[in-house]
Structure formats: C-alpha cells, structure tokens
Amino acid sequence: MKRQIITILMSFISIHFANAQFAENNAIYSTGELNLGNYIGFDINLNYVFKEKFSIKVGYTGNIRKPKSQPDNYTSGLTGIFSFGLANPYDQIENYQIGFGKIYKLNESGTIRTNISAGLGYTIIREPENWQMIDDVFLTENYTWNYKTHNTLSLIINPKIEFPFTRFYGLTISPMLQINKDRTYVGIGIGQMIGLLRKRKQQTLTPV
C-alpha cells in the first residue's frame, strides 16, 4: 500500500506541473524500473530537471536475493509453492535515496540523453538468521528463522540513459551501484518515465 501511494503521488505531481510556462525551464516526472543484478527488485523515483541540464531525484529502491545463510536442504514446502515464493525468507536491501545529476543530450532533439547521477541513501538491511531445523514437516518450511535488521548509509551511483520519446512518456536504462560498509548492490534497471519530461520542440519557420 505504501508503494502504491508513492506511485500515485508522483504521477499526480508530474501532471499538475505539466503546463507551458513551467515547462520552458523545468521538467518533473516519475520513473519506475525493474532491477537485475546480484539482487533483484525495483526502483521508483520523483525527478526534477532544470533547464535540461541539472537534475535532482528522491526515491525508493527495494531489492532481494536468496539468503546467503540459507541451509542447503531448506525447503518452503507446499506453502511456498502456493505462495509463489513470496513467503520465503530473503536477504533484503531497502534504500530511501536522494541524488544529484547532470544531463547531457546525445541528440539535437533531446530524445536520447544521459542523466549522470550520484547521491546518498538511508539503507535498511534485513537478513534471516538463527536457522533451526524442524523434523517431520511436509506442508510448511523445514526450518524456523528470524530476521536480523540493521541500518547504514550508502553511496549510490546511478547513471541513466533516458529516452523521452514524447514530452510525457519515455523509457530508461539505468546501471546502479550501491555501496555501504556491509553490502554492495550492482545491477541494471529497465523501466519507464512518466510526466513532464522535456520542453516543447520549437518549430523552425521556413522563409517564403
């Protein structure tokens, strides 16, 4: 529910500011991406761009992977099958992040550009521990476990290639590196951008 509210709020703000006067020097839009790397997950951000040169973003990233501490003979039983693995234990990394970047156009029309961004994230790490085997089980997990949680700060390097094909919709390819004292995430995201992405293309008058 929290993530759905964030998505709706970002879309509303993007549409609200999509007027001609604001669009001359400003762009504001939401991005959402699926991440693949040593973890998998998703990334959602609210982005602001000034004069198609400088960018600021705030957002959330959530990633999971198979637990490194998981016993080799762990099984989730029939319960795990019916829940499609959603109830299984995972190593989890969450980031609440802010980043600052520089925009570089790769073509004259601005429909291909790079957004070189770096920033900081407040990171929450959850990992299962204290695995205790249970004998004679079939429907449920054959181990009990509990999560260990700790927080830290991360350096986030997140260059993006953006394709704002229209003023209001585009696609993104987004390599990401998250570094902190405990864990490192390396991956790439593929997603979309929705909102006010760039100013209206100026039409050139042809002399008569």
Side-chain angles (χ1 to χ4, degrees):
M1 178 63 70
K2 177 178 66 175
R3 296 167 184 170
Q4 293 174 339
I5 292 173
I6 292 174
T7 303
I8 294 171
L9 182 60
M10 287 181 174
S11 299
F12 175 79
I13 293 174
S14 297
I15 295 171
H16 177 72
F17 283 107
N19 60 73
Q21 183 177 0
F22 185 87
E24 282 302 309
N25 292 316
N26 305 274
I28 186 166
Y29 56 93
S30 61
T31 55
E33 292 147 349
L34 296 177
N35 299 329
L36 296 173
N38 56 338
Y39 290 74
I40 62 172
F42 71 96
D43 180 52
I44 184 169
N45 291 281
L46 179 64
N47 304 265
Y48 170 72
V49 175
F50 179 66
K51 291 188 175 181
E52 297 185 323
K53 293 183 178 180
F54 306 101
S55 66
I56 301 174
K57 71 171 184 177
V58 292
Y60 171 87
T61 300
N63 290 296
I64 62 174
R65 70 180 180 188
K66 178 182 176 181
K68 293 294 186 180
S69 62
Q70 180 175 297
D72 293 336
N73 63 339
Y74 168 81
T75 177
S76 58
L78 290 179
T79 302
I81 295 175
F82 292 138
S83 66
F84 301 100
L86 297 178
N88 292 6
Y90 293 100
D91 289 345
Q92 306 173 16
I93 293 184
E94 293 183 285
N95 270 295
Y96 296 89
Q97 59 201 23
I98 183 170
F100 303 89
K102 182 74 167 61
I103 303 289
Y104 297 94
K105 291 184 180 181
L106 299 183
N107 64 357
E108 186 175 351
S109 63
T111 57
I112 306 175
R113 67 194 187 195
T114 60
N115 186 348
I116 308 300
S117 175
L120 294 175
Y122 174 73
T123 305
I124 303 169
I125 300 173
R126 298 184 182 91
E127 296 178 338
E129 63 174 9
N130 295 330
W131 300 85
Q132 301 292 327
M133 190 170 184
I134 305 173
D135 295 325
D136 300 326
V137 295
F138 175 67
L139 295 177
T140 61
E141 298 169 302
N142 62 340
Y143 277 86
T144 62
W145 46 269
N146 59 274
Y147 275 115
K148 176 184 179 182
T149 303
H150 56 283
N151 307 323
T152 186
L153 292 177
S154 294
L155 171 66
I156 299 176
I157 301 172
N158 186 207
K160 289 188 179 185
I161 302 176
E162 300 180 338
F163 303 90
F165 301 123
T166 74
R167 296 185 66 216
F168 306 106
Y169 182 81
L171 300 177
T172 62
I173 299 175
S174 178
M176 179 179 286
L177 175 64
Q178 299 177 3
I179 305 172
N180 59 62
K181 62 183 179 62
D182 299 306
R183 297 290 181 270
T184 297
Y185 166 76
V186 180
I188 187 168
I190 300 175
Q192 61 183 356
M193 48 201 308
I194 301 174
L196 179 58
L197 308 182
R198 55 186 174 87
K199 64 183 180 180
R200 188 186 303 275
K201 183 179 179 181
Q202 296 181 352
Q203 295 182 349
T204 302
L205 298 178
T206 304
V208 179

